[in-house]
Amino acid sequence: MKITYLGHASLAIEIAGKYIIVDPFITGNELAKNIDINSLKADYILVTHAHEDHILDVESIAKRTDAKIVSNFEIINHFENLGIAGHPMNHGGSWQFDFGKLTYTNAIHSSSFPDGSYGGQPGGFLLETEDGNVYIAGDTALTMDMKLISMQTKVDLAVLPIGDNFTMGIEGAAIAAEFLVCNRILGYHYDTFGYIEIDHKKAKEIFKNKGVNLTLLEIGSSLKL
Ligand code: NI
Ligand code: MN
């Protein structure tokens, strides 16, 4: 599995010959100006919730690539009204896709569309694949529900928001790593706007003191699992 950081909470994942984009917010992110969204391959687009900083580029990528959107029921409804096919899920539900098993997990956050309309309840995703298991938390507070994930599966990599203000911050994410029994964390949802700028060195230290490895990728660079 190859995971490429596209900035903010956007990821590109290659697994089992399939291409997955998560929460594409690229054209609205000055820090991601070197990412060409027209070069991104996509068989699926996973959407954690309806906020603009997670859905901005969903429509254009889906229409260009014919990718199927996977998200909560209300977000799928929204995109089906725009003529884009999707797979609706809801919290705690899993489905076996051709890239692996996917579960829509709980998140503590909100989920309105940019026009204020209802975007269902926010979530995250657990991917269980032949290359390992990845938990993508989405925008969320630290929550005891994260313990339920490690009770049910082994988490090899957790992608956690660390920018604070709108989600948990660095200290909260370090506790989340304990709840998830996972010592490999990829941080996301930081530095994009003033409210979520973080001190990278301090973040790495806080995790290191707990024996957890925090990776902060340059936008456009990748890690392998
Ligand atoms: Ni959000
Ligand atoms: Mn967000």
Side-chain angles (χ1 to χ4, degrees):
M1 187 184 323
K2 183 180 169 194
I3 301 178
T4 304
Y5 183 50
L6 302 177
H8 196 51
S10 310
L11 306 166
I13 302 173
E14 270 183 73
I15 169 72
K18 299 291 169 186
Y19 295 90
I20 301 168
I21 301 287
V22 181
D23 285 358
F25 172 76
I26 296 154
T27 58
N29 183 1
E30 179 64 19
L31 301 177
K33 61 180 185 298
N34 291 332
I35 304 290
D36 173 15
I37 66 160
N38 291 314
S39 71
L40 297 175
K41 295 179 187 172
D43 297 299
Y44 299 91
I45 302 172
L46 310 188
V47 181
T48 61
H49 66 294
H51 286 161
E52 188 169 48
D53 61 314
H54 298 257
I55 65 159
L56 183 69
D57 297 316
V58 169
E59 187 178 349
S60 67
I61 295 172
K63 285 189 168 163
R64 178 179 55 80
T65 61
D66 245 349
K68 186 180 249 191
I69 300 175
V70 183
S71 189
N72 70 30
F73 178 80
E74 291 79 6
I75 290 173
I76 294 305
N77 245 339
H78 168 93
F79 284 110
E80 281 183 345
N81 289 335
L82 298 172
I84 301 165
H87 179 113
M89 299 185 76
N90 220 322
H91 299 104
S94 301
W95 186 261
Q96 190 69 47
F97 289 89
D98 50 8
F99 56 83
K101 182 180 161 191
L102 188 71
T103 304
Y104 192 61
T105 58
N106 299 344
I108 307 279
H109 194 66
S110 58
S111 178
S112 48
F113 283 99
D115 68 358
S117 62
Y118 181 57
Q121 295 296 311
F125 291 101
L126 175 68
L127 277 88
E128 293 171 273
T129 78
E130 60 189 23
D131 289 351
N133 303 332
V134 180
Y135 168 55
I136 301 166
D139 285 10
T140 184
L142 175 65
T143 160
M144 297 296 273
D145 287 353
M146 291 166 179
K147 289 192 176 185
L148 298 175
I149 294 169
S150 56
M151 285 169 70
Q152 293 174 86
T153 196
K154 180 181 181 300
V155 180
D156 297 299
L157 173 76
V159 185
L160 303 177
I162 56 171
D164 219 332
N165 192 71
F166 297 115
T167 67
M168 60 186 173
I170 297 156
E171 286 88 357
I175 297 169
E178 284 177 28
F179 287 179
L180 293 161
V181 195
C182 179
N183 59 14
R184 191 174 178 197
I185 306 299
L186 174 64
Y188 79 165
H189 211 277
Y190 63 93
D191 283 358
T192 321
F193 353 93
Y195 288 123
I196 62 172
E197 277 171 14
I198 64 158
D199 179 336
H200 293 208
K201 199 166 154 254
K202 188 177 145 219
K204 290 195 172 179
E205 263 172 34
I206 287 169
F207 277 79
K208 201 177 166 199
N209 290 340
K210 293 200 175 235
V212 178
N213 182 274
L214 173 68
T215 300
L216 300 177
L217 289 174
E218 294 288 323
I219 295 173
S221 62
S222 308
L223 64 76
K224 288 236 162 94
L225 190 71

